[in-house]
C-alpha cells in the first residue's frame, strides 16, 4: 500500500496535469493572441492557485478587436454639376442668338442690344 506504481502515477498524474494546465489548453484552443504569456503564467505561478485563477480568467477573456480608423483630411469642395454648367451656357448662348436676331431685324437698337447683352452675361 505504501508504494505507488507507474499505473497509479498515470491515473493520478495525467488528470492533475490536465487540470493544472487547463488555462493553457483553453488559451490554445481559443487561439488567443497572448497564449504564450498565459502558458508562462500558468506554468510558473499556477501552483499558487491565485496564479492559476488569473491564467484561467485571462484565457477565457475575449481578445481585443483591432479597429481600423480612416481619417480623411481632404477638404470637401462641392462642385457644380457639369451638366448644369452646360445648360446655363446653352441658355445664355440661345438668349444671345435671339438678341442678335432682334438686333438684325431692327426690333432692338444697338444700345438696347448692348444693355441686354451685358445683363445676360453678368447673370
Amino acid at each position: 500500500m505504501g508504494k505507488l506504481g507507474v499505473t497509479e502515477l498515470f491515473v493520478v498524474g495525467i488528470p492533475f496535469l490536465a487540470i493544472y494546465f487547463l488555462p493553457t489548453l483553453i488559451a490554445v484552443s481559443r487561439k488567443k493572441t497572448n497564449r504564450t504569456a498565459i502558458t508562462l503564467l500558468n506554468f510558473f505561478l499556477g501552483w499558487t492557485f491565485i496564479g492559476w485563477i488569473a491564467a484561467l480568467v485571462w484565457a477565457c477573456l475575449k481578445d481585443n478587436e483591432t479597429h481600423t480608423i480612416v481619417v480623411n483630411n481632404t477638404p470637401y469642395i462641392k462642385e457644380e454639376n457639369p451638366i448644369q454648367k452646360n445648360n446655363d451656357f446653352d441658355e445664355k448662348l440661345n438668349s444671345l442668338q435671339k438678341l442678335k436676331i432682334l438686333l438684325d431685324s431692327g426690333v432692338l437698337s444697338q444700345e438696347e442690344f448692348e444693355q441686354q447683352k451685358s445683363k445676360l452675361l453678368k447673370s
Side-chain angles (χ1 to χ4, degrees):
M1 179 142 197
K3 281 188 165 182
L4 285 177
V6 175
T7 307
E8 290 86 8
L9 192 59
F10 277 117
V11 168
V12 173
I14 290 185
F16 173 77
L17 285 175
I19 292 171
Y20 185 80
F21 286 107
L22 183 65
T24 300
L25 296 173
I26 291 172
V28 169
S29 69
R30 295 185 69 198
K31 297 178 181 152
K32 298 280 288 180
T33 56
N34 47 8
R35 60 183 167 259
T36 305
I38 294 170
T39 302
L40 292 173
L41 175 67
N42 188 197
F43 181 75
F44 288 112
L45 295 177
W47 62 272
T48 62
F49 190 68
I50 293 173
W52 186 85
I53 293 292
L56 181 65
V57 169
W58 193 4
C60 292
L61 286 176
K62 184 178 177 184
D63 275 338
N64 291 336
E65 296 177 10
T66 57
H67 299 286
T68 303
I69 299 173
V70 178
V71 178
N72 185 0
N73 289 330
T74 58
Y76 176 72
I77 300 171
K78 184 178 178 182
E79 294 183 17
E80 291 184 29
N81 189 351
I83 296 171
Q84 181 65 32
K85 282 184 176 181
N86 287 340
N87 287 342
D88 289 344
F89 177 77
D90 290 341
E91 287 178 22
K92 286 183 180 182
L93 185 61
N94 288 336
S95 297
L96 281 172
Q97 287 172 344
K98 288 177 186 175
L99 283 174
K100 177 65 173 153
I101 291 169
L102 290 173
L103 175 67
D104 291 342
S105 65
V107 175
L108 289 177
S109 67
Q110 184 66 34
E111 186 180 318
E112 292 171 326
F113 173 76
E114 292 297 330
Q115 288 174 351
Q116 294 299 321
K117 183 175 83 168
S118 64
K119 277 186 194 178
L120 184 64
L121 293 177
K122 286 181 184 176
S123 63

